[in-house]
PDB file of all heavy atoms in Angstrom:
ATOM      1  N   GLU A 213     -70.252  -8.765 106.268  1.00 98.00           N
ATOM      2  CA  GLU A 213     -69.273  -7.680 106.426  1.00 98.00           C
ATOM      3  C   GLU A 213     -69.894  -6.489 107.165  1.00 98.00           C
ATOM      4  O   GLU A 213     -69.248  -5.835 107.978  1.00 98.00           O
ATOM      5  CB  GLU A 213     -68.755  -7.231 105.061  1.00 98.00           C
ATOM      6  CG  GLU A 213     -67.801  -8.222 104.428  1.00 98.00           C
ATOM      7  CD  GLU A 213     -67.454  -7.903 102.981  1.00 98.00           C
ATOM      8  OE1 GLU A 213     -68.195  -7.121 102.331  1.00 98.00           O
ATOM      9  OE2 GLU A 213     -66.456  -8.458 102.492  1.00 98.00           O
ATOM     10  N   ARG A 214     -71.155  -6.233 106.862  1.00 97.00           N
ATOM     11  CA  ARG A 214     -71.832  -5.111 107.537  1.00 97.00           C
ATOM     12  C   ARG A 214     -71.881  -5.363 109.052  1.00 97.00           C
ATOM     13  O   ARG A 214     -71.676  -4.453 109.850  1.00 97.00           O
ATOM     14  CB  ARG A 214     -73.230  -4.925 106.961  1.00 97.00           C
ATOM     15  CG  ARG A 214     -73.869  -3.680 107.514  1.00 97.00           C
ATOM     16  CD  ARG A 214     -75.150  -3.280 106.855  1.00 97.00           C
ATOM     17  NE  ARG A 214     -75.658  -2.134 107.556  1.00 97.00           N
ATOM     18  CZ  ARG A 214     -75.790  -0.914 107.057  1.00 97.00           C
ATOM     19  NH1 ARG A 214     -75.461  -0.674 105.814  1.00 97.00           N
ATOM     20  NH2 ARG A 214     -76.235   0.084 107.788  1.00 97.00           N
ATOM     21  N   GLU A 215     -72.166  -6.602 109.446  1.00 97.00           N
ATOM     22  CA  GLU A 215     -72.179  -6.958 110.874  1.00 97.00           C
ATOM     23  C   GLU A 215     -70.832  -6.615 111.504  1.00 97.00           C
ATOM     24  O   GLU A 215     -70.768  -6.017 112.569  1.00 97.00           O
ATOM     25  CB  GLU A 215     -72.428  -8.466 111.029  1.00 97.00           C
ATOM     26  CG  GLU A 215     -73.824  -8.872 111.453  1.00 97.00           C
ATOM     27  CD  GLU A 215     -74.485  -7.934 112.447  1.00 97.00           C
ATOM     28  OE1 GLU A 215     -73.961  -7.790 113.566  1.00 97.00           O
ATOM     29  OE2 GLU A 215     -75.533  -7.345 112.122  1.00 97.00           O
ATOM     30  N   LEU A 216     -69.736  -7.005 110.801  1.00 97.00           N
ATOM     31  CA  LEU A 216     -68.395  -6.727 111.317  1.00 97.00           C
ATOM     32  C   LEU A 216     -68.146  -5.212 111.387  1.00 97.00           C
ATOM     33  O   LEU A 216     -67.569  -4.701 112.342  1.00 97.00           O
ATOM     34  CB  LEU A 216     -67.326  -7.346 110.398  1.00 97.00           C
ATOM     35  CG  LEU A 216     -67.197  -8.862 110.400  1.00 97.00           C
ATOM     36  CD1 LEU A 216     -66.198  -9.314 109.341  1.00 97.00           C
ATOM     37  CD2 LEU A 216     -66.740  -9.327 111.786  1.00 97.00           C
ATOM     38  N   ALA A 217     -68.636  -4.502 110.340  1.00 98.00           N
ATOM     39  CA  ALA A 217     -68.392  -3.054 110.245  1.00 98.00           C
ATOM     40  C   ALA A 217     -69.040  -2.287 111.393  1.00 98.00           C
ATOM     41  O   ALA A 217     -68.596  -1.192 111.750  1.00 98.00           O
ATOM     42  CB  ALA A 217     -68.918  -2.535 108.908  1.00 98.00           C
ATOM     43  N   LEU A 218     -70.084  -2.873 111.997  1.00 98.00           N
ATOM     44  CA  LEU A 218     -70.789  -2.172 113.075  1.00 98.00           C
ATOM     45  C   LEU A 218     -69.905  -1.977 114.314  1.00 98.00           C
ATOM     46  O   LEU A 218     -70.204  -1.145 115.173  1.00 98.00           O
ATOM     47  CB  LEU A 218     -72.061  -2.936 113.468  1.00 98.00           C
ATOM     48  CG  LEU A 218     -73.150  -2.926 112.401  1.00 98.00           C
ATOM     49  CD1 LEU A 218     -74.373  -3.697 112.867  1.00 98.00           C
ATOM     50  CD2 LEU A 218     -73.541  -1.486 112.066  1.00 98.00           C
ATOM     51  N   ALA A 219     -68.781  -2.738 114.354  1.00 98.00           N
ATOM     52  CA  ALA A 219     -67.829  -2.527 115.455  1.00 98.00           C
ATOM     53  C   ALA A 219     -67.284  -1.097 115.425  1.00 98.00           C
ATOM     54  O   ALA A 219     -66.921  -0.543 116.468  1.00 98.00           O
ATOM     55  CB  ALA A 219     -66.676  -3.530 115.341  1.00 98.00           C
ATOM     56  N   LEU A 220     -67.242  -0.496 114.225  1.00 98.00           N
ATOM     57  CA  LEU A 220     -66.662   0.851 114.095  1.00 98.00           C
ATOM     58  C   LEU A 220     -67.498   1.900 114.848  1.00 98.00           C
ATOM     59  O   LEU A 220     -66.976   2.557 115.761  1.00 98.00           O
ATOM     60  CB  LEU A 220     -66.493   1.189 112.604  1.00 98.00           C
ATOM     61  CG  LEU A 220     -65.944   2.571 112.249  1.00 98.00           C
ATOM     62  CD1 LEU A 220     -64.575   2.812 112.877  1.00 98.00           C
ATOM     63  CD2 LEU A 220     -65.858   2.744 110.726  1.00 98.00           C
ATOM     64  N   PRO A 221     -68.802   2.064 114.525  1.00 98.00           N
ATOM     65  CA  PRO A 221     -69.566   3.055 115.301  1.00 98.00           C
ATOM     66  C   PRO A 221     -69.677   2.702 116.784  1.00 98.00           C
ATOM     67  O   PRO A 221     -69.680   3.588 117.637  1.00 98.00           O
ATOM     68  CB  PRO A 221     -70.956   3.045 114.638  1.00 98.00           C
ATOM     69  CG  PRO A 221     -71.028   1.806 113.829  1.00 98.00           C
ATOM     70  CD  PRO A 221     -69.612   1.480 113.442  1.00 98.00           C
ATOM     71  N   ARG A 222     -69.694   1.391 117.072  1.00 98.00           N
ATOM     72  CA  ARG A 222     -69.814   1.003 118.493  1.00 98.00           C
ATOM     73  C   ARG A 222     -68.544   1.402 119.245  1.00 98.00           C
ATOM     74  O   ARG A 222     -68.602   1.897 120.369  1.00 98.00           O
ATOM     75  CB  ARG A 222     -70.029  -0.506 118.621  1.00 98.00           C
ATOM     76  CG  ARG A 222     -71.460  -0.895 118.258  1.00 98.00           C
ATOM     77  CD  ARG A 222     -71.698  -2.390 118.347  1.00 98.00           C
ATOM     78  NE  ARG A 222     -72.975  -2.721 117.729  1.00 98.00           N
ATOM     79  CZ  ARG A 222     -73.220  -3.817 117.033  1.00 98.00           C
ATOM     80  NH1 ARG A 222     -72.269  -4.732 116.872  1.00 98.00           N
ATOM     81  NH2 ARG A 222     -74.410  -4.036 116.495  1.00 98.00           N
ATOM     82  N   ALA A 223     -67.394   1.183 118.612  1.00 98.00           N
ATOM     83  CA  ALA A 223     -66.123   1.528 119.256  1.00 98.00           C
ATOM     84  C   ALA A 223     -66.044   3.035 119.480  1.00 98.00           C
ATOM     85  O   ALA A 223     -65.656   3.513 120.558  1.00 98.00           O
ATOM     86  CB  ALA A 223     -64.954   1.073 118.379  1.00 98.00           C
ATOM     87  N   LEU A 224     -66.439   3.809 118.474  1.00 98.00           N
ATOM     88  CA  LEU A 224     -66.342   5.271 118.584  1.00 98.00           C
ATOM     89  C   LEU A 224     -67.340   5.818 119.604  1.00 98.00           C
ATOM     90  O   LEU A 224     -67.073   6.835 120.259  1.00 98.00           O
ATOM     91  CB  LEU A 224     -66.570   5.920 117.213  1.00 98.00           C
ATOM     92  CG  LEU A 224     -65.477   5.618 116.185  1.00 98.00           C
ATOM     93  CD1 LEU A 224     -65.857   6.186 114.818  1.00 98.00           C
ATOM     94  CD2 LEU A 224     -64.128   6.184 116.627  1.00 98.00           C
TER      95      LEU A 224
END
Side-chain angles (χ1 to χ4, degrees):
E213 287 171 342
R214 187 171 176 115
E215 257 323 297
L216 289 174
L218 291 180
L220 178 58
R222 284 179 192 144
L224 293 174

